[in-house]
Amino acid sequence: MVFSTALFWGALATPSFATVAPGPSDITNCDDCQNLVNVDVDSDGRVTTADLLIVYSNIRNNIYTAASDVNSDGFVNMDDFTIVKRCLGCTVSASPFN
Ligand SMILES: [Ca+2]
Ligand SMILES: [Ca+2]
């Protein structure tokens, strides 16, 4: 428990964390969708409009969930939406957050 708390605060204190998060322009193919981000928001193994709608709904309602924060930058915003949009149709591993 102490160890995981330290990891959590360590991640928050790292100033470069947000700048290294992948953005929409980093997503060029399904390999990027698999390796750089966690785009399977509903964990069904595919990237569909259902994933897109979950992210969109969370943006609209100002709800943060780790699963919807597909690029893990601490925010659920249009970057996440655009990344999921670019990955539509890809088969990926399920998000570790669900
Ligand atoms: Ca999905
Ligand atoms: Ca994000």
Side-chain angles (χ1 to χ4, degrees):
M1 181 57 99
V2 172
F3 179 67
S4 63
T5 302
L7 272 180
F8 176 74
W9 286 111
L12 284 181
T14 305
S16 62
F17 186 71
T19 58
V20 299
S25 62
D26 295 315
I27 307 301
T28 56
N29 55 41
C30 285
D31 284 344
D32 292 339
C33 296
Q34 170 69 59
N35 298 322
L36 298 181
V37 289
N38 301 303
V39 285
D40 184 16
V41 180
D42 63 2
S43 292
D44 67 352
R46 297 171 56 227
V47 186
T48 65
T49 52
D51 302 300
L52 202 57
L53 288 174
I54 292 169
V55 174
Y56 180 73
S57 173
N58 286 342
I59 293 169
R60 291 267 314 195
N61 297 304
N62 280 326
I63 296 171
Y64 177 88
T65 68
S68 292
D69 182 12
V70 299
N71 65 348
S72 303
D73 66 353
F75 304 97
V76 177
N77 57 28
M78 287 310 289
D79 280 355
D80 301 296
F81 181 84
T82 305
I83 289 168
V84 175
K85 195 173 159 191
R86 284 184 173 228
C87 293
L88 282 177
C90 294
T91 300
V92 297
S93 300
S95 169
F97 301 110
N98 286 325

